[in-house]
Amino acid sequence: MKKHILTCLFIFFYSFIYSQNKNTTFDSNQFLKELSDQACLCIDSIPTKNLRTKIIASKINRCIDNVVGAYQIGLNLKNINLSDNDKNKQININLNTDKNSTEYKKNYIIIEEYLMANCYALKETIAANDVIREKSVSKNEEAMKAYHLGIAAARKENNKEAIDYYKKAVAIDPEFAFAYDNMGLCYRKLEDFDNAIIAYQKSLEIDPNGTMPLQNIAVVYQYKKEFNKAIETYKKLSELDSKDPEIYYGIGNVYAFNLNDLENGLDNLCKAYKIYSDMKSPYRTDAQTLIQRIYVNLKKEGKEDKFFEILKNNNININK
């Protein structure tokens, strides 16, 4: 099986070289793009309905894993002349397939970071929250029809029209939690933050264990610049799911960049980074970016030692 995979990767590399031009040099940036585009298509095909975040993250990880080998082959062969005159010569390469190796992790992160910046499907997939609970969706056909019309309108950025459809859905079925969730999102996009909170609170009344409306309330409080309320809401969320990295990412972001409490911010962002990494979630790159920003600020304040102390307490080693 491994031999078959390596053969396919080798063929992909040759195809890439010859599809460019037999006489051109190897374009590593273009090669990274083409491989990442393949991974992006793989990610776009992941079904997210009723899947937990950890399972979705593992499927994304598999899509990225599938192209890391090809990328490593490309890096090994980029300086080899693959012209027609040399096509019969023997080529020896060393490919490190150990996923725990420094080389493999480095190449994995290069592709992951490229996808975070360029693959819309990646962020859409990891942000998906279609875990269906008892009162998430309606059993009423007319309510569901209005709900789907609302989704269609929202996709076209017709948020006011979407809200009208969601209101129709909850008028038919007052215990339709997803309709209130989506209504809240539309209000938020319209910067009607008070009504967004009302919609999310309605969803919580229907399903007190719903994590998505509570998380969205915390986000809305940030838009309203009510930062302490945002932190209080994130802490309530942690009572429902203490392993959700979004909680610590949100708290860390608010502490560090809204309340200027860099040390509390760093501690929470380290916790988020650790959980993202354990889940193999691409969002760890966002957490790492914020951690690096905090390092710059703490260094200016002469607190570089405090930075590394907090990282050490969280069992994290990140290069400056």
Side-chain angles (χ1 to χ4, degrees):
M1 177 64 76
K2 273 189 176 181
K3 185 176 180 182
H4 172 71
I5 293 171
L6 291 177
T7 301
C8 290
L9 295 177
F10 193 74
I11 290 170
F12 177 87
F13 176 80
Y14 263 74
S15 298
F16 171 78
I17 289 293
Y18 286 107
S19 68
Q20 286 189 309
N21 187 308
K22 292 179 184 179
N23 298 317
T24 59
T25 57
F26 175 73
D27 186 339
S28 56
N29 290 330
Q30 182 63 23
F31 188 57
L32 172 62
K33 178 185 181 302
E34 294 205 10
L35 284 172
S36 298
D37 286 346
Q38 284 196 14
C40 189
L41 287 171
C42 173
I43 291 165
D44 194 35
S45 69
I46 294 173
T48 58
K49 188 173 182 179
N50 218 25
L51 286 183
R52 294 287 177 188
T53 303
K54 191 169 183 178
I55 296 174
I56 293 172
S58 71
K59 290 179 179 291
I60 291 171
N61 169 249
R62 195 172 301 125
C63 289
I64 299 174
D65 265 337
N66 287 341
V67 299
V68 173
Y71 184 65
Q72 291 189 162
I73 288 177
L75 296 180
N76 275 281
L77 296 177
K78 67 179 181 179
N79 296 320
I80 296 175
N81 187 346
L82 297 176
S83 64
D84 285 342
N85 293 332
D86 299 309
K87 67 182 181 180
N88 293 321
K89 71 180 180 182
Q90 182 176 343
I91 297 174
N92 296 314
I93 60 170
N94 294 315
L95 181 63
N96 192 341
T97 59
D98 179 6
K99 294 183 181 180
N100 293 315
S101 69
T102 301
E103 180 188 2
Y104 193 92
K105 288 179 179 178
K106 177 184 175 183
N107 291 322
Y108 181 99
I109 289 172
I110 287 171
I111 294 170
E112 181 181 73
E113 288 179 346
Y114 183 93
L115 288 167
M116 282 294 287
N118 298 283
C119 178
Y120 176 77
L122 174 59
K123 289 200 172 185
E124 188 178 54
T125 301
I126 54 183
N129 185 54
D130 290 333
V131 177
I132 299 174
R133 303 167 69 87
E134 184 182 355
K135 295 182 179 179
S136 296
V137 297
S138 177
K139 296 177 182 178
N140 185 290
E141 187 176 337
E142 289 301 311
M144 288 300 295
K145 182 179 178 181
Y147 173 70
H148 286 297
L149 288 170
I151 291 175
R155 282 176 178 165
K156 296 177 182 177
E157 297 297 323
N158 297 329
N159 292 301
K160 289 183 179 179
E161 181 184 347
I163 287 169
D164 289 338
Y165 281 122
Y166 295 137
K167 284 183 174 179
K168 182 177 179 181
V170 296
I172 297 169
D173 184 352
E175 294 197 322
F176 192 167
F178 274 7
Y180 278 115
D181 288 340
N182 285 14
M183 190 190 304
L185 178 59
C186 289
Y187 274 126
R188 194 177 93 193
K189 287 182 177 179
L190 293 170
E191 298 186 2
D192 186 347
F193 300 129
D194 291 335
N195 273 319
I197 289 175
I198 290 170
Y200 291 133
Q201 286 174 336
K202 285 282 188 183
S203 177
L204 284 172
E205 288 174 13
I206 296 166
D207 182 3
N209 292 321
T211 57
M212 185 53 68
L214 200 53
Q215 184 172 318
N216 277 307
I217 288 173
V219 172
V220 173
Y221 277 135
Q222 288 174 252
Y223 280 113
K224 286 168 65 68
K225 301 188 184 304
E226 297 180 20
F227 302 120
N228 288 315
K229 286 186 177 180
I231 289 174
E232 288 172 12
T233 306
Y234 279 123
K235 287 180 178 178
K236 286 181 184 176
L237 185 58
S238 70
E239 294 172 8
L240 296 176
D241 186 2
S242 63
K243 298 293 180 66
D244 185 350
E246 292 295 306
I247 297 167
Y248 305 104
Y249 183 89
I251 292 174
N253 191 28
V254 173
Y255 269 130
F257 303 107
N258 297 126
L259 297 176
N260 199 33
D261 186 342
L262 295 176
E263 292 177 21
N264 255 325
L266 177 60
D267 185 59
N268 280 281
L269 285 166
C270 283
K271 288 178 171 59
Y273 177 83
K274 191 75 174 171
I275 300 172
Y276 283 137
S277 297
D278 290 343
M279 292 170 57
K280 293 184 170 61
S281 169
Y283 272 150
R284 64 182 164 188
T285 61
D286 287 352
Q288 181 171 339
T289 298
L290 295 188
I291 289 170
Q292 289 168 335
R293 282 178 59 190
I294 291 174
Y295 170 76
V296 172
N297 292 331
L298 284 175
K299 187 176 181 180
K300 287 178 182 177
E301 295 178 7
K303 296 180 178 178
E304 192 173 0
D305 289 343
K306 191 65 181 178
F307 174 85
F308 289 108
E309 179 188 328
I310 293 172
L311 259 64
K312 184 178 179 181
N313 291 340
N314 284 279
N315 297 313
I316 292 175
N317 180 24
I318 297 180
N319 294 326
K320 295 179 274 184

